[in-house]
């Protein structure tokens, strides 16, 4: 075998090995892209669950805010009624002592009403906290339950393929 034939044979082997290396590299790239697509698909479910949770949080906030506004409106209305009632008592009083006594009697009812209103406001805040806390717990569990975690693939195949091609190229160079 002459030198030209030997060089042609070595270059042919190197081309074949380079083709095999390129094919393996393409396979690794395809696998990586497929894995990335799967990861993107896996993120859709948690995003949907978070969007649903955001909507539910909005609904909770709306409901509790509505309760708070209704309570505030009732408190203001009762305060105005109380003020008008006390002013009428003053206007109808025969004496300052009589007015003072009636105002003192009305104060006991006012204290009780203020305590009931404060308790109701606290109940709204506690209910809102429970609702949001429950939503957060449920959403956290759903999001973690919906994410499938794959173990990272071992990259040994690609590494082995690179080493194999490098060895064959080195052998071909030595033989030349």
């Amino acid at each position: 075998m002459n030198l030209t034939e030997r060089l042609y044979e070595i270059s042919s082997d190197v081309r074949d090995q380079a083709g095999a290396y390129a094919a393996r590299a393409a396979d690794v790239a395809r696998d990586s892209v497929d894995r990335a697509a799967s990861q993107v698909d896996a993120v859709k479910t948690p995003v949907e669950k978070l969007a649903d949770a955001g909507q539910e949080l909005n609904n909770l906030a709306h409901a509790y805010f509505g309760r708070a506004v209704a309570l505030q409106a009732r408190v203001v209305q009762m305060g105005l009624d109380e003020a008008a009632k006390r002013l009428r008592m003053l206007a109808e009083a025969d004496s300052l002592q009589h007015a003072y006594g009636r105002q003192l009697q009305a104060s006991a009812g006012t204290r009780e009403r203020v305590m009931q209103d404060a308790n109701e406001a606290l109940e709204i805040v506690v209910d809102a906290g429970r609702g949001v806390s429950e939503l957060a717990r449920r959403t956290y569990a759903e999001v973690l339950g919906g994410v499938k975690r794959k173990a990272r693939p071992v990259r040994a195949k690609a590494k082995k393929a690179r080493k194999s091609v490098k060895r064959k190229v080195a052998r071909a160079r030595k033989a030349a």
Side-chain angles (χ1 to χ4, degrees), residues 53-118:
Q55 182 64 44
E56 192 172 338
L57 179 62
N58 186 35
N59 293 341
L60 282 172
H62 182 74
Y64 291 118
F65 187 72
R67 281 178 59 190
V69 168
L71 174 64
Q72 184 65 31
R74 195 181 81 232
V75 166
V76 168
Q77 185 64 41
M78 291 178 84
L80 292 173
D81 290 346
E82 184 80 22
K85 179 180 169 186
R86 287 177 179 253
L87 289 172
R88 282 194 189 90
M89 281 193 285
L90 282 173
E92 295 169 358
D94 297 335
S95 67
L96 186 58
Q97 190 176 21
H98 183 251
Y100 179 73
R102 290 185 71 191
Q103 291 289 331
L104 198 56
Q105 287 174 348
S107 293
T110 302
R111 276 192 303 275
E112 188 174 311
R113 182 181 55 79
V114 167
M115 288 305 296
Q116 285 174 344
D117 293 341

Side-chain angles (χ1 to χ4, degrees), residues 32-33 44 67 73 89 97 100 130 145 155 167:
S32 295
V33 169
K44 285 185 342 190
R67 281 178 59 190
M89 281 193 285
Q97 190 176 21
Y100 179 73
R130 283 185 188 134
R155 298 185 187 221
R167 264 184 280 167

